Amino acid sequence: MAQKKNSRNSKKKNANLFTTACFVLALLVILLAFLVKKDQIIGNFKETGFFDRVFGTTPEFVQNHPGNPEAQKPAAANNNEITIQIDNQTLVEEPEAPQENIVIPVQPQPKTEVAESNVKTPEKTPEKPKAAEETKTKPQPEKPKQSAKTELSLCFIQIDGDGSIVRKIVKRSVQKNDSPLTNALNLLLKGPDTTISAERNCNTLIPAGTKLLGAKVQNGVAYLNFNDAFEINSFGVEGYNAQLMQIVYTATAFSTVTSVQFLIDGQKKDYLGSEGQWIGSPLSRSNF
């Protein structure tokens, strides 16, 4: 009986010791936690006003405590903000936004398969004739410029019914040139033009084959040089007289000529032909 009682006391004593040990251990843990987190715990008491609400007053060491060091830590900055302390001024730098590469998808155009047999080439319409346009744009051939005309006086003869010789002055329109005297004498040597009505009844007594070899005018005198055919006239004296008259009247029709000096093959002779017609000096219209 006594053993049982002692056993119970021993168990009770052991339980009390265990409880005491646990309590002491808990106090030690609390003490260690207080020592480690002293500033934070005191700061929490100060901030929450624990002692004022429970005991009515706050101990002096709590009031003098700087506060909860965790509370003094600046609030956690946003993940997107970086706080830099420079001379008690806080600069907040915003991180650069990451550049986004914008990719515009290009939709591939659907391939259109066209069978060669279904492709029709447009037929060319026949072009209308551009006759009107060509007529407008085609340069017209230039008409040949008509040279200026001039009238030359030519001396021919007419034979009356009684056989007398009458001089006939005709006007012939010809193209103007630089040697009108030479042109007039050459036309005279060719004879009358029967296609001209004014010359149909005209004749000439200048010997056939006569040619003008040269002509010049000096001091109103025309020096005319003929070939030797000019010396032979089958009509005798009247023929020689008529051929000289035809030459003199044709040459003196020009205002620059008053008389004619005849030359045969470049030589001055006194008489023309066997009949002895005087040509040794210049002849004028007054000699006929």
Side-chain angles (χ1 to χ4, degrees):
M1 188 72 179
Q3 292 180 352
K4 289 182 180 179
K5 187 176 180 180
N6 291 329
S7 178
R8 290 177 181 173
N9 291 332
S10 179
K11 290 181 179 180
K12 187 175 180 181
K13 186 177 180 180
N14 291 333
N16 291 333
L17 290 173
F18 179 77
T19 303
T20 303
C22 289
F23 180 76
V24 172
L25 182 61
L27 288 177
L28 290 174
V29 171
I30 293 171
L31 179 62
L32 290 173
F34 179 78
L35 292 175
V36 173
K37 298 288 185 177
K38 179 182 66 173
D39 293 335
Q40 182 177 358
I41 293 171
I42 295 173
N44 289 335
F45 285 152
K46 182 178 179 180
E47 291 177 1
T48 58
F50 174 77
F51 289 99
D52 286 335
R53 288 197 300 267
V54 175
F55 301 103
T57 180
T58 300
E60 187 175 351
F61 72 93
V62 174
Q63 292 179 358
N64 296 330
H65 195 271
N68 190 356
E70 295 294 334
Q72 292 179 357
K73 291 183 180 180
N78 294 331
N79 293 331
N80 294 331
E81 295 182 356
I82 299 173
T83 304
I84 299 175
Q85 182 96 18
I86 300 177
D87 295 335
N88 296 330
Q89 293 183 359
T90 302
L91 300 178
V92 179
E93 294 183 359
E94 295 184 358
E96 295 182 358
Q99 296 181 356
E100 296 182 359
N101 295 328
I102 301 174
V103 179
I104 300 174
V106 179
Q107 296 181 357
Q109 297 182 356
K111 296 182 179 180
T112 56
E113 296 182 358
V114 182
E116 292 183 359
S117 59
N118 295 334
V119 179
K120 295 182 179 180
T121 57
E123 296 181 356
K124 293 183 179 180
T125 55
E127 296 182 357
K128 295 181 179 180
K130 300 181 180 180
E133 294 181 1
E134 290 180 358
T135 303
K136 292 181 180 179
T137 58
K138 186 176 181 181
Q140 299 294 331
E142 294 183 359
K143 295 181 180 180
K145 296 181 179 180
Q146 295 182 354
S147 58
K149 294 281 188 177
T150 185
E151 283 189 344
L152 298 178
S153 298
L154 305 180
C155 181
F156 295 108
I157 63 168
Q158 288 181 341
I159 299 175
D160 291 342
D162 57 358
S164 59
I165 298 174
V166 179
R167 100 181 139 258
K168 176 71 173 180
I169 306 296
V170 298
K171 299 284 187 180
R172 186 182 294 185
S173 179
V174 297
Q175 292 183 357
K176 188 179 290 187
N177 62 13
D178 296 334
S179 303
L181 176 60
T182 302
N183 189 24
L185 292 173
N186 286 328
L187 292 175
L188 180 65
L189 296 179
K190 290 180 180 179
D193 187 355
T194 57
T195 61
I196 301 173
S197 60
E199 299 181 23
R200 287 175 186 171
N201 297 323
C202 294
N203 291 292
T204 182
L205 292 180
I206 299 174
T210 301
K211 292 181 180 179
L212 180 66
L213 302 180
K216 70 174 182 178
V217 178
Q218 185 175 0
N219 297 326
V221 179
Y223 293 86
L224 305 181
N225 184 21
F226 296 95
N227 63 349
D228 56 1
F230 190 70
E231 293 184 276
I232 302 171
N233 195 309
S234 58
F235 293 97
V237 177
E238 293 181 351
Y240 285 116
N241 188 62
Q243 74 182 65
L244 294 176
M245 178 188 64
Q246 287 182 249
I247 298 296
V248 170
Y249 271 81
T250 300
T252 55
F254 295 93
S255 60
T256 57
V257 179
T258 57
S259 61
V260 176
Q261 175 64 64
F262 289 93
L263 302 175
I264 306 300
D265 289 333
Q267 300 295 322
K268 184 171 71 169
K269 294 185 176 183
D270 292 335
Y271 296 97
L272 181 62
S274 59
E275 301 295 333
Q277 190 70 25
W278 176 255
I279 58 170
S281 60
L283 301 178
S284 62
R285 291 190 178 187
S286 61
N287 295 113
F288 303 95

